């Protein structure tokens, strides 16, 4: 891949290079040596339940203490049973009696360059107001609030307001289609929809309200829609159903006590792709999730009160839930939110933001780093990034080349890099270096966090040897774990707990090296990772075959320089001819069915899909073709793989 103008990358790239934590970093860290990490890890491992129980008592506010730390009826966990707490209280009220009440909670910048800073006190007031708005529309504990909004402070305010009154939020990334919103609203039986008139993206307006209108036509459970004015366009407002955000908030009192909620009260649902066509509503609850987001934030980012922390993820993903909102705010941190694209107006927007706000910790995705490399070092070098002290990555494995670039060019060779492995299901980071304690190896997420007990097993459930690939599992429940799939206990059991009885199956392959370092080796199912986001190939296939011209479709992930994986689809038509127009129509169709993030990069037409004798699509062959490893021969418009298929036996 391209290395921008930093030509030295290849020569410094070596497997097993070890980057010990800089001494100065370690001496100022909460956990400042490998021995300190190991001691904490061993203590947690000896009695994980007691370990988490003690932390929960220390770290969360309890209206009523819990009387049992863990009730484990496999695969259903209840943490901190009998306790009463509130996530919004832990994120806001607990700081109001300290000096932090006037600390910046959220520093926000919109894509056009507008700025807002909310102190803890101000954020508290806004959250109370919006919580009262929700109440005034009849929202009670347990109701589901669907959120389809741009990255504005109001998005965080809405999440915290739900948490305050025990409503369950379901944030849907603002790149999803009307179809996807409606599917999720119906699955969750959402009662209220939150959106905005639009969002800014690369200088253009995304008309979110128009998309929501289409979705609400198919979401019969949604009674009200609250619309934030963000871009100032003039969306249609349906009398009785739609309300302007500011009209309601202006009327609302800023006094709203946090509800005393059960530890296991549902906090949010977040939909993610599984190995079937239907997205799963991952369910997280109150106390365990809150503790886990807070502690992992403090450990992994070695948080200090004077830090300015920027996680670049959108709140539409779990990373935004845990490390833009809940982790940082529980810890009393200053969290940065940015609305727009990294290349608007120029390709140096991230570095400009870091310089402007003197950001200390940057947490972003490998796909973004690869794009930055391509855009060139000069964008980075133009800016003073000396405020940075720690860098992080998430979403997919990082290739050593990108790691070294991030380390050298962004981190000035002085900032440790935390490569964090986790999932929507895990609620927070599971494996990552502790930056003051663990020497890093480019491409490895290194070691499990205290209280996390992974293993690598073969399909029969036996441990594999050193450097042998196998299934990554968790052998003990942890507080941040999902509590199930919304409304589908069977699928929860089947997907995560049945292949290896009694263990949580993450769905990733991994190996452990001779130093006990973990290396993630990719998914074991038909889930692909496009630009750090999970997509099921079957979802893309279902979208394609719902088009009247398509007979059959196969979607696979192929290597992509920037996105990690790109989507290649192979299509047989039942009507119409292969053409550029048809290709574009199918891309548009997938965009309409799922959203822009699922639009295939390659659409190839074939007269038949290559299949094994038992009728299974030969995915490996298609992957080789998509990667260009197999020459198909003369490919005018309609490809023919029968000859290739007959040379292979993949039954
Ligand atoms: C899947 C989870 C975790 C928040 C963002 C994605 C892959 C994630 C890493 C990493 C290698 C990684 C895994 C995982 N993944 N982080 N540091 N190294 N792979 O959340 O959409 O739930 O996806 O992303 O395959 O299972 P998600």
């Amino acid at each position: 891949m391209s290395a921008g103008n930093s030509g030295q990358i290849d020569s410094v790239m070596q497997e097993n290079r070890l980057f010990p934590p800089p001494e100065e970093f370690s001496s100022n860290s909460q956990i400042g040596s490998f021995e300190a990490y190991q001691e904490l890890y061993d203590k947690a491992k000896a009695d994980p339940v007691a370990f988490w129980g003690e932390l929960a008592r220390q770290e969360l506010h309890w209206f009523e203490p819990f009387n049992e730390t863990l009730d484990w009826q496999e695969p259903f966990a209840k943490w901190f049973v009998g306790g009463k707490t509130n996530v919004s209280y832990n994120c806001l009220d607990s700081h109001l009696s300290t000096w932090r009440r006037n600390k910046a909670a959220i520093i926000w910048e919109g894509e056009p360059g507008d700025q807002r800073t909310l102190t803890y006190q101000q954020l508290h007031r806004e959250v109370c107001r919006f919580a009262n708005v929700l109440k005034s529309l009849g929202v009670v504990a347990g109701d589901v609030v669907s959120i389809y909004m741009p990255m504005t402070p109001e998005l965080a305010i809405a999440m915290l307001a739900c948490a305050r009154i025990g409503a369950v939020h379901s944030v849907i990334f603002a790149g999803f289609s009307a179809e996807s919103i409606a599917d999720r609203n119906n699955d969750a039986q959402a009662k209220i929809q939150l959106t905005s008139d639009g969002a800014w993206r690369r200088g253009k307006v995304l008309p979110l309200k128009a998309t929501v209108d289409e979705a609400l036509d198919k979401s019969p459970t949604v009674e009200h829609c609250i619309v934030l004015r963000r871009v100032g366009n003039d969306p249609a407002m349906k009398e009785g159903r739609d309300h302007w955000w500011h009209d309601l908030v202006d009327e609302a009192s800023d006094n709203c006590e946090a509800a005393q909620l059960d530890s296991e009260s549902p906090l949010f649902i977040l939909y993610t792709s599984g190995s079937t066509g239907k997205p799963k509503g991952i369910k997280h609850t109150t106390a365990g999730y809150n503790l886990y987001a807070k502690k992992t934030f403090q450990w992994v980012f070695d948080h200090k009160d004077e830090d300015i922390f920027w996680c670049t993820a959108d709140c539409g993903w779990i990373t935004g839930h845990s490390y833009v909102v809940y982790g940082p705010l529980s810890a009393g941190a200053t969290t940065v939110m940015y609305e727009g694209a990294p290349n608007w107006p120029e390709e140096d927007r991230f570095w400009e933001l870091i310089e402007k706000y003197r950001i200390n910790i940057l947490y972003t995705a490998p796909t973004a780093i690869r794009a930055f490399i391509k855009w060139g070092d000069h964008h980075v070098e133009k800016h003073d990034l000396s405020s940075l002290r720690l860098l992080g990555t998430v979403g997919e494995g990082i290739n050593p080349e990108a790691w070294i670039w991030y380390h050298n060019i962004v981190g000035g060779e002085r900032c440790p890099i935390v490569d964090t492995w986790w999932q929507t299901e895990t609620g927070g980071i599971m494996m990552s270096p502790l930056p003051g304690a663990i020497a890093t190896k480019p491409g490895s997420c290194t070691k499990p966090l205290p209280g996390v007990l992974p293993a690598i097993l073969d399909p029969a459930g036996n441990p594999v040897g050193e450097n042998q690939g196998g299934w990554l599992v968790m052998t003990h429940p942890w507080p941040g774990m999902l509590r199930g799939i919304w409304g589908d206990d069977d699928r929860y059991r089947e997907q995560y707990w049945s292949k290896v009885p009694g263990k949580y199956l993450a769905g990733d392959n991994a190996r452990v090296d001779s130093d006990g370092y973990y290396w993630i080796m990719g998914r074991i199912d038909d889930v692909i990772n496009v630009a750090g986001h999970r997509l099921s190939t079957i979802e893309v296939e279902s979208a394609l075959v719902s088009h009247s011209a398509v007979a059959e479709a196969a979607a696979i992930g192929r290597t992509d320089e920037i996105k990690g994986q790109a989507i290649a689809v192979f299509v047989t038509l039942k009507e119409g001819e292969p053409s550029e127009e048809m290709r574009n129509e199918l891309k548009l169709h997938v965009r309409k069915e799922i959203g822009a993030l699922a639009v295939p990069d390659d659409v190839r037409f074939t007269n038949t899909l290559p299949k094994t004798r038992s009728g299974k699509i030969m995915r490996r062959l298609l992957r080789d073709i998509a990667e260009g490893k197999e020459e198909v021969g003369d490919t005018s418009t309609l490809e023919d793989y029968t000859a290739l298929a007959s040379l292979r036996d993949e039954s």
Side-chain angles (χ1 to χ4, degrees):
M1 75 183 285
S2 140
N5 49 9
S6 53
Q8 79 277 22
I9 283 174
D10 288 338
S11 56
V12 293
M13 198 187 113
Q14 280 171 36
E15 278 280 334
N16 280 340
R17 257 183 82 133
L18 201 64
F19 292 79
E23 223 160 89
E24 205 195 313
F25 194 100
S26 294
S27 59
N28 291 309
S29 291
Q30 300 163 26
I31 301 171
S33 67
F34 187 75
E35 292 68 33
Y37 157 78
Q38 195 65 56
E39 199 181 308
L40 191 63
Y41 189 82
D42 291 345
K43 178 186 159 196
K45 188 176 174 183
D47 191 345
V49 175
F51 174 77
W52 289 116
E54 195 183 319
L55 284 177
R57 273 184 284 269
Q58 275 167 26
E59 302 288 344
L60 303 180
H61 172 80
W62 294 99
F63 298 110
E64 273 175 41
F66 54 93
N67 46 40
E68 189 186 1
T69 301
L70 172 64
D71 171 4
W72 178 231
Q73 315 277 334
E74 191 207 307
F76 297 99
K78 290 185 183 147
W79 282 91
F80 315 122
V81 184
K84 294 218 186 302
T85 184
N86 183 294
V87 178
S88 157
Y89 188 100
N90 291 317
C91 288
L92 302 168
D93 306 57
S94 25
H95 306 304
L96 297 186
S97 54
T98 73
W99 66 270
R100 288 189 195 89
R101 69 184 186 279
N102 284 327
K103 179 177 175 176
I106 296 177
I107 295 178
W108 172 80
E109 187 163 309
E111 195 185 72
D114 39 346
Q115 299 165 32
R116 269 166 78 193
T117 298
L118 288 159
T119 65
Y120 274 93
Q121 205 155 244
Q122 291 168 328
L123 182 60
H124 176 260
R125 209 176 295 136
E126 296 303 323
V127 168
C128 288
R129 279 213 179 100
F130 198 69
N132 282 326
V133 165
L134 292 174
K135 280 185 183 173
S136 74
L137 292 180
V139 178
V140 296
D143 283 347
V144 175
V145 176
S146 168
I147 306 182
Y148 186 75
M149 289 176 68
M151 279 293 279
T152 51
E154 282 77 9
L155 171 48
I157 289 166
M159 293 163 72
L160 290 159
C162 290
R164 198 157 187 90
I165 62 172
V168 184
H169 59 69
S170 163
V171 185
I172 301 168
F173 174 64
F176 279 109
S177 66
E179 289 293 330
S180 294
I181 303 170
D183 284 349
R184 286 158 175 74
N185 284 350
N186 289 321
D187 185 76
Q189 301 278 289
K191 187 164 169 181
I192 304 276
Q193 179 75 59
L194 311 181
T195 190
S196 70
D197 54 355
W200 290 109
R201 196 73 189 171
R202 289 195 190 89
K204 292 207 189 78
V205 166
L206 300 179
L208 301 194
K209 175 61 164 60
T211 307
V212 160
D213 284 339
E214 214 184 311
L216 293 191
D217 285 344
K218 297 177 202 159
S219 308
T221 59
V222 175
E223 295 165 13
H224 295 280
C225 175
I226 308 179
V227 187
L228 176 75
R229 179 165 284 156
R230 169 65 192 130
V231 298
N233 60 6
D234 200 13
M237 295 291 278
K238 190 167 166 182
E239 186 70 37
R241 185 194 73 184
D242 299 348
H243 317 266
W244 283 108
W245 189 291
H246 55 267
D247 287 344
L248 299 179
V249 164
D250 286 352
E251 305 270 291
S253 144
D254 59 9
N255 187 358
C256 176
E257 292 272 305
Q260 304 195 2
L261 298 171
D262 198 86
S263 290
E264 284 297 338
S265 171
L267 177 66
F268 65 85
I269 314 169
L270 187 56
Y271 285 86
T272 187
S273 296
S275 47
T276 70
K278 191 173 173 279
K280 311 178 270 199
I282 302 300
K283 177 167 96 176
H284 284 286
T285 60
T286 295
Y289 170 81
N290 194 358
L291 175 67
Y292 200 72
K294 179 178 182 183
K295 270 329 289 180
T296 54
F297 172 76
Q298 291 171 325
W299 282 330
V300 172
F301 300 107
D302 188 41
H303 174 252
K304 305 199 183 338
D305 251 317
E306 54 277 23
D307 281 332
I308 298 185
F309 174 81
W310 184 23
C311 164
T312 68
D314 190 285
C315 287
W317 313 109
I318 189 71
T319 311
H321 282 62
S322 302
Y323 301 110
V324 175
V325 180
Y326 292 120
L329 296 179
S330 316
T334 297
T335 182
V336 174
M337 282 178 94
Y338 167 59
E339 177 187 33
N343 54 352
W344 186 266
E346 299 294 332
E347 288 161 345
D348 67 343
R349 186 65 183 271
F350 273 28
W351 322 120
E352 188 188 283
L353 287 165
I354 290 168
E355 180 171 18
K356 183 184 213 172
Y357 296 108
R358 310 304 295 148
I359 288 166
N360 307 104
I361 305 171
L362 173 68
Y363 188 34
T364 194
T367 182
I369 297 168
R370 291 190 298 262
F372 298 140
I373 296 176
K374 194 170 170 200
W375 295 341
D377 300 4
H378 57 287
H379 292 298
V380 191
E381 285 159 356
K382 241 186 0 222
H383 295 279
D384 175 5
L385 304 186
S386 59
S387 59
L388 286 175
R389 64 178 195 89
L390 178 61
L391 304 173
T393 68
V394 60
E396 59 179 308
I398 179 163
N399 46 311
E401 183 194 10
W403 195 103
I404 297 288
W405 182 88
Y406 198 30
H407 181 256
N408 290 353
I409 307 298
V410 179
E413 295 177 48
R414 78 186 171 275
C415 305
I417 296 179
V418 289
D419 172 350
T420 62
W421 178 87
W422 59 295
Q423 308 178 292
T424 304
E425 291 87 342
T426 69
I429 297 165
M430 299 292 277
M431 299 201 280
S432 166
L434 296 183
I438 297 178
T440 52
K441 295 182 187 181
S444 165
C445 59
T446 74
K447 301 255 176 185
L449 297 185
V452 172
L453 303 169
I456 297 178
L457 306 178
D458 67 18
N462 303 311
V464 301
E466 198 175 285
N467 277 318
Q468 279 187 312
W471 291 350
L472 176 61
V473 301
M474 297 297 147
T475 63
H476 195 279
W478 67 101
M481 67 190 278
L482 75 167
R483 297 301 194 269
I485 295 176
W486 195 257
D488 201 343
D489 286 351
D490 289 344
R491 190 171 175 198
Y492 171 59
R493 224 181 249 114
E494 205 274 318
Q495 292 246 307
Y496 302 104
W497 300 92
S498 66
K499 287 205 185 69
V500 187
K503 314 265 191 302
Y504 169 79
L505 183 75
D508 282 344
N509 275 312
R511 69 180 167 90
V512 179
D513 71 14
S514 54
D515 295 324
Y517 278 47
Y518 283 77
W519 299 78
I520 304 296
M521 299 163 70
R523 299 284 307 184
I524 63 178
D525 50 19
D526 288 328
V527 170
I528 54 177
N529 191 324
V530 180
H533 301 308
R534 227 201 272 187
L535 264 180
S536 140
T537 51
I538 298 169
E539 241 176 297
V540 179
E541 288 163 8
S542 318
L544 284 165
V545 295
S546 74
H547 187 283
S548 59
V550 175
E552 238 188 339
I556 54 123
R558 68 150 169 84
T559 315
D560 181 88
E561 201 187 320
I562 303 292
K563 295 193 281 191
Q565 285 189 294
I567 309 167
V569 302
F570 296 82
V571 174
T572 64
L573 295 175
K574 58 181 173 210
E575 58 187 57
E577 290 298 314
S579 66
E580 207 44 41
E581 274 155 345
M582 180 64 84
R583 195 167 272 134
N584 290 333
E585 189 175 324
L586 294 180
K587 287 184 181 182
L588 262 175
H589 184 71
V590 175
R591 175 189 288 259
K592 190 172 158 291
E593 290 291 310
I594 307 178
L597 70 175
V599 173
D601 297 80
D602 313 338
V603 177
R604 303 174 71 145
F605 297 104
T606 165
N607 51 8
T608 58
L609 287 172
K611 294 199 182 139
T612 62
R613 270 164 298 169
S614 61
K616 272 171 61 183
I617 293 170
M618 298 169 87
R619 290 179 170 277
R620 236 179 321 150
L621 172 61
L622 291 178
R623 216 169 290 137
D624 288 349
I625 293 166
E627 300 271 8
K629 286 184 198 151
E630 280 283 6
E631 287 295 323
V632 190
D634 177 29
T635 60
S636 38
T637 40
L638 203 59
E639 295 173 314
D640 189 338
Y641 310 125
T642 36
L644 280 177
S646 67
L647 294 174
R648 291 214 187 172
D649 186 4
E650 296 192 46
S651 53

